[in-house]
Structure formats: C-alpha cells, structure tokens
C-alpha cells in the first residue's frame, strides 16, 4: 500500500551540455554575497571554476571562497564554513563539486543562524531546523549521492569516529542544481565506479523493503537496469556522453524521495558503510560495495520473495527447475559479477579495516528497522567479519 502522503520536490534541475547557462538567471534571485564552496581543486584543473567565477562576476556578485571541502566533510570544516558565512553576511551558498560539497553546503546553510552546536543538534539529537536557512544551489561534478535534489547532509566527526547523515526537509534542499554530464568526464575511474555503486545501492536500500505491490519497486527496477547498462559502457569509455548522462540522471532519481514513496526502506548497508567510513575515511561508494554482499546474503532468507523478484526482473534470471532460493542466490551472484567487472572494492580489509576495529565499527552503526531483518549487534559484527 502506498499509503497517504503529499509530494513535492522543490529543486529546479537544469540538465545537459548547456545547463550552466541557467546559472545567471538563478543567481539573480539572490543577494550579492555568495559563498563559493568547492573541494580539493578538481574544478580548477578542469576549468569549471573559471566558468562559474566568470558567471558570478558578470552578475556583480561578491565571491567569498570556501575551498578545501574534503570527501566525507568533517565537523571541523563545517565550523570553518559557518565562520565564513557569519563573517561575510552570506546571502547564498553555491556548491560546485560532488556530494561532499553539496552536503557540506546544506550543513552550513542550517548552521549559520543556529544558536546551538550544529553537530549536537542535527547529528546527535536529530532535531529539526528552527532558524533561518541560507539558500543553497549546486553545480554538480560527480554523479552518485543524489545530494543535488535531496535534503541529505552527511558529516563526519573525526574525533568521536561517527559519520552521520541528517535528511533535512524541503526548505534545505538545493534551490537549483545544474547537471552537465560533461562535467563528470574528468572523474578518476575509481570515483566514477564508486558513484555508480552508490546510485545502485540507494535504489536497493529502498527496494528491499515491504511485501506489497508498489509502483516504487517497478520504477526502481527500471532505474537499476539503466544504471547497470550505462555503467558497462562508461567503464570502457568514460567520455560516452549518452552513458554518463544516463548515470547522472539515474543518480538524481535514485535518491530524490520519489522511489521512497510507500516504502519502509532498509538503509542498513549505508549505516554499516558509514561507520566503516568514519573509521577509515574511505570513499563512500567503496564502503558500500565492501559490505553489500555479506549483508544481502545474510538477509536474503528474510526477504526471499523480493530477492527472487530482483533476480528475475533486474538480472534476467529465471528457471522453472530451480527453487526460489536458488534463483535469489543467482541474482546476487550476477550482482557480484557486475560489481567485480566494475572494479569495486569487495572487502573492508582493502579499506584499512582489521579485526581490532570491528567492535568500534559496530558501536558506530545506527540500526534501522525498515528492512527485512532488524539486525542485532552480534549480527552486524558477523556481517563485518564476513566482509573482511
Ligand atoms: O575535492 P575535489 O578536488 O573536487 O575532488 C573530488 C573528490 O576527491 C573528486 N571529484 C568530484 N568531481 C570531480 C572530481 N575529480 C575530477 N573531476 C570531477 N568532475 O571526487 C572525489 C569525491 O568527491 P565527493 O564529493 O566526496 O564524492 P561523492 O559525490 O560520492 O560524495 C560523497 C559524500 O556524500 C555523502 C557521503 O557519505 C560522502 O560524505 N552522501 C550523501 C548523501 C545524500 N546527500 O543524500 C547520500 C549518500 O549515501 C552519501 O552518504
Ligand atoms: Zn550513498
């Protein structure tokens, strides 16, 4: 049952080779002082920085640089961003980069006028925003997180070794996002495939829940088929515009609230992966790929019907002579083969995890209850051991 809900997504998307042309008209809606958020310098190398700055200057904007947003942005960096925004009376935050820059921009946006400690308020107590929010826009350079059209903002506390996401509401979602698939061409292959798996797993996290007949599952299957198809083309030819554009568009729709409608949603791969990330600072998509198969093989018996459907609808497996369990297992084997073909990291040892770290990773894993099995602490430990 889809149940009852209202639906709107407030982010305006501009998609395609000419999408940056729309930045001017969007910027004209906001004040003069722009906080320009970007990462470690990739946008300077590939020329996107120059293009964006030229548009900002042509619109007579005052630019306040906020560079050096690291993959998996930290509380320390967040505090720096808040300071920049407060000191310069920022009117608008423009993130130019991947999910880390978009997430960080949103985290700054809800913290500038917050009297409380943002980490404690949003990430430990999970409270809602009750202060003015600085509007955010995004020029996306990496496809994966869906941050360009959602309210998610994941922040890492390096001291307490916690990586936590807060999903904020409509008022925090980017006002607009500019999606030019060509901007993703310069991504290193490792980042591209990590993003591809992140997209795929976002869909799985929503798909593997519920027993009802739900339109969201049919949309999810189509998105999964598209990402598998395009990924195979993009790994061979990263500059295949058609494949890269399909990947970018799928990423947005995989996590912009649409396919979560009517779903209780799982999110345990992300919870375990995020805790692995907090302990290793590894690339987000690789933390997911490293724990996925042990997790899905573990919960498969509890959601057998859905895993069978996944095998048939997504991986084209069917054989009247096989049991449901055999078909479901073959689906996961096909998924494993695809993941290995992409060159994803398939175990957490490669990310720097050793036996001594497992208890700490379990401690940092938030347990969700929307999937086919609510995990106990010892089960998370078991899955981590199988992921080593
Ligand atoms: O920092 P720069 O120099 O820009 O380099 C980045 C970074 O090193 C590089 N990059 C990005 N675009 C590039 C490029 N290099 C060359 N050419 C380009 N066009 O790629 C590296 C990774 O970038 P990052 O933004 O960290 O990757 P991603 O988009 O995967 O974002 C990861 C963060 O998003 C969070 C993750 O936990 C992680 O902190 N997530 C956010 C979600 C959300 N908002 O809903 C959901 C996700 O599940 C995820 O948790
Ligand atoms: Zn993710």
């Amino acid at each position: 049952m889809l149940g009852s809900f209202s639906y709107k997504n407030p982010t305006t998307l501009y998609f395609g080779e000419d999408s940056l042309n729309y930045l001017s008209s969007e910027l004209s809606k906001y004040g003069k002082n722009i906080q320009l958020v970007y990462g470690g310098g990739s946008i300077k190398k590939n020329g996107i920085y120059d293009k964006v700055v030229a548009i900002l200057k042509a619109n007579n904007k005052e630019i306040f640089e906020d560079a050096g947003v690291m993959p998996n942005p930290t509380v320390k960096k967040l505090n720096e961003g808040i300071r920049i925004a407060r000191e310069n009376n920022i009117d608008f935050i423009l993130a130019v980069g991947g999910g880390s820059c978009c997430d960080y921009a949103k985290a700054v946006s809800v913290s500038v006028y917050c009297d409380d400690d943002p980490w404690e308020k949003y990430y430990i107590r999970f409270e809602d925003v009750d202060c003015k929010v600085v509007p955010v826009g995004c020029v996306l350079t990496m496809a994966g997180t869906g941050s360009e059209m959602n309210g998610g903002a994941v922040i890492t506390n390096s001291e307490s070794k916690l990586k936590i996401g807060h999903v904020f509401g409509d008022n925090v979602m980017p006002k607009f996002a500019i999606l030019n698939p060509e901007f993703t061409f310069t991504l290193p292959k490792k980042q591209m495939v990590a993003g591809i798996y992140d997209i795929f797993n976002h869909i799985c996290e929503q798909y593997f829940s519920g027993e009802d007949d739900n339109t969201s599952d049919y949309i999810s299957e189509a998105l999964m088929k598209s990402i598998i198809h395009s990924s195979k083309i993009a790994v061979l030819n990263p500059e295949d515009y058609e494949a890269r554009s399909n990947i970018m568009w799928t990423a947005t729709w995989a996590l912009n609230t649409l396919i979560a409608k009517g779903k209780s949603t799982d999110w345990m791969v992300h919870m375990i992966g995020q805790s692995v990330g907090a302990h290793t600072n590894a690339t987000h998509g690789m933390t997911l790929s490293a724990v996925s198969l042990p997790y899905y093989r573990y919960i498969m018996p509890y959601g057998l019907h859905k895993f069978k459907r996944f095998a048939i609808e997504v991986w084209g497996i069917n054989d009247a002579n096989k049991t449901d369990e055999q078909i479901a297992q073959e689906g996961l084997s096909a998924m494993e083969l695809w993941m290995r073909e992409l060159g994803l990291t398939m175990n957490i040892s490669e990310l720097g995890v050793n036996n001594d770290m497992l208890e700490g990773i379990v401690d940092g894993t938030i347990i969700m209850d929307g999937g086919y099995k609510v995990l106990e602490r010892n089960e998370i430990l078991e899955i981590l051991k199988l992921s080593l």
Side-chain angles (χ1 to χ4, degrees):
M1 279 277 287
L2 274 164
S4 311
F5 53 84
S6 65
Y7 189 73
K8 126 175 162 183
N9 191 312
T11 305
T12 303
L13 297 178
Y14 297 98
F15 191 91
E17 288 151 298
D18 300 327
S19 49
L20 194 60
N21 293 345
Y22 295 91
L23 183 58
S24 276
S25 58
E26 282 293 339
L27 287 174
S28 68
K29 299 173 189 168
Y30 305 97
K32 201 174 166 55
N33 294 348
I34 310 288
Q35 186 159 343
L36 180 61
V37 166
Y38 59 98
S42 70
I43 62 163
K44 289 201 167 164
K45 284 195 208 118
N46 59 24
I48 298 171
Y49 174 88
D50 288 341
K51 288 180 187 157
V52 169
V53 166
I55 294 169
L56 287 167
K57 286 188 174 156
N59 283 274
N60 293 318
K61 300 292 184 185
E62 191 90 40
I63 303 170
F64 297 91
E65 297 236 352
D66 184 1
V69 178
M70 60 293 283
N72 312 318
T74 60
V75 174
K76 192 164 171 244
K77 177 65 189 162
L78 172 61
N79 289 332
E80 193 185 311
I82 298 168
R83 183 184 52 73
I84 294 171
R86 285 181 180 159
E87 282 176 5
N88 301 293
N89 200 14
I90 290 299
D91 297 306
F92 189 80
I93 304 172
L94 182 64
V96 186
S100 293
C101 288
C102 295
D103 278 22
Y104 167 85
K106 285 179 248 178
V108 173
S109 82
V110 296
S111 303
V112 181
Y113 294 97
C114 174
D115 297 331
D116 218 325
D117 177 276
W119 171 258
E120 291 292 328
K121 179 178 172 69
Y122 300 127
Y123 294 93
I124 298 296
R125 301 198 302 271
F126 281 101
E127 287 173 16
D128 287 337
V129 187
D130 47 21
C131 62
K132 183 179 155 187
V133 176
V134 182
V136 168
C138 158
V139 177
L140 196 67
T141 66
M142 160 153 184
T145 63
S147 187
E148 66 276 14
M149 204 187 195
N150 71 34
V154 182
I155 296 293
T156 297
N157 188 322
S158 315
E159 268 112 62
S160 57
K161 290 209 184 321
L162 291 172
K163 182 179 184 187
I164 299 178
H166 187 124
V167 182
F168 294 100
D170 287 3
N171 54 336
V172 182
M173 287 162 73
K175 300 295 173 209
F176 64 86
I178 287 171
L179 310 178
N180 181 345
E182 279 181 354
F183 287 179
T184 68
F185 282 179
T186 52
L187 261 180
K189 186 186 167 212
K190 180 190 159 189
Q191 293 297 339
M192 180 184 77
V193 297
I196 287 169
Y197 189 70
D198 192 22
I199 299 163
F200 187 82
N201 191 255
H202 291 158
I203 307 169
C204 290
E205 298 274 31
Q206 297 163 92
Y207 182 76
F208 287 117
S209 64
E211 298 290 346
D212 54 332
D213 184 43
N214 189 317
T215 303
S216 294
D217 288 334
Y218 297 86
I219 302 173
S220 290
E221 284 159 0
L223 292 173
M224 285 194 268
K225 284 197 266 194
S226 174
I227 195 74
I228 294 163
H229 179 77
S230 297
S231 69
K232 292 179 179 175
I233 298 167
V235 281
L236 295 177
N237 179 12
E239 298 209 359
D240 186 305
Y241 182 83
E242 186 174 63
R244 295 306 284 269
S245 59
N246 283 325
I247 292 168
M248 198 170 210
W249 192 230
T250 306
T252 303
W253 288 91
L255 195 52
N256 71 353
T257 74
L258 176 79
I259 62 166
K261 287 291 153 282
K263 303 293 300 178
S264 54
T265 73
D266 183 342
W267 293 109
M268 274 318 294
V269 169
H270 268 70
M271 294 305 109
I272 301 172
Q274 271 173 213
S275 192
V276 169
H279 285 255
T280 59
N281 198 25
T283 300
H284 172 64
M286 297 305 192
T287 65
L288 307 177
S289 60
V291 302
S292 279
L293 283 157
Y295 175 72
Y296 287 126
R297 288 193 168 119
Y298 188 84
I299 64 155
M300 192 192 78
Y302 303 95
L304 187 58
H305 173 75
K306 197 55 161 291
F307 280 91
K308 180 187 172 190
R309 175 172 162 171
F310 175 68
I312 295 169
E313 300 298 335
V314 178
W315 299 102
I317 290 159
N318 212 349
D319 187 335
N321 298 317
K322 291 196 170 136
T323 63
D324 288 358
E325 199 179 339
Q326 283 169 328
I327 292 172
Q329 265 164 359
E330 283 186 25
L332 290 178
S333 298
M335 174 173 136
E336 178 173 357
L337 200 64
W338 169 66
M339 291 170 73
R340 290 188 186 279
E341 266 173 39
L342 290 186
L344 292 163
T345 305
M346 302 300 282
N347 60 68
I348 54 176
S349 313
E350 277 177 59
L351 302 176
V353 176
N354 59 41
N355 259 310
D356 297 343
M357 295 159 75
L358 296 185
E359 291 286 346
I361 294 173
V362 178
D363 289 340
T365 302
I366 297 171
I367 298 177
M368 309 294 278
D369 61 5
Y372 290 120
K373 170 82 178 77
V374 182
L375 295 183
E376 307 280 342
R377 194 182 189 285
N378 64 318
E379 294 177 303
I380 299 173
L381 186 60
E382 188 56 34
I383 289 163
L384 284 167
K385 282 182 183 162
L386 291 167
S387 306
L388 272 170

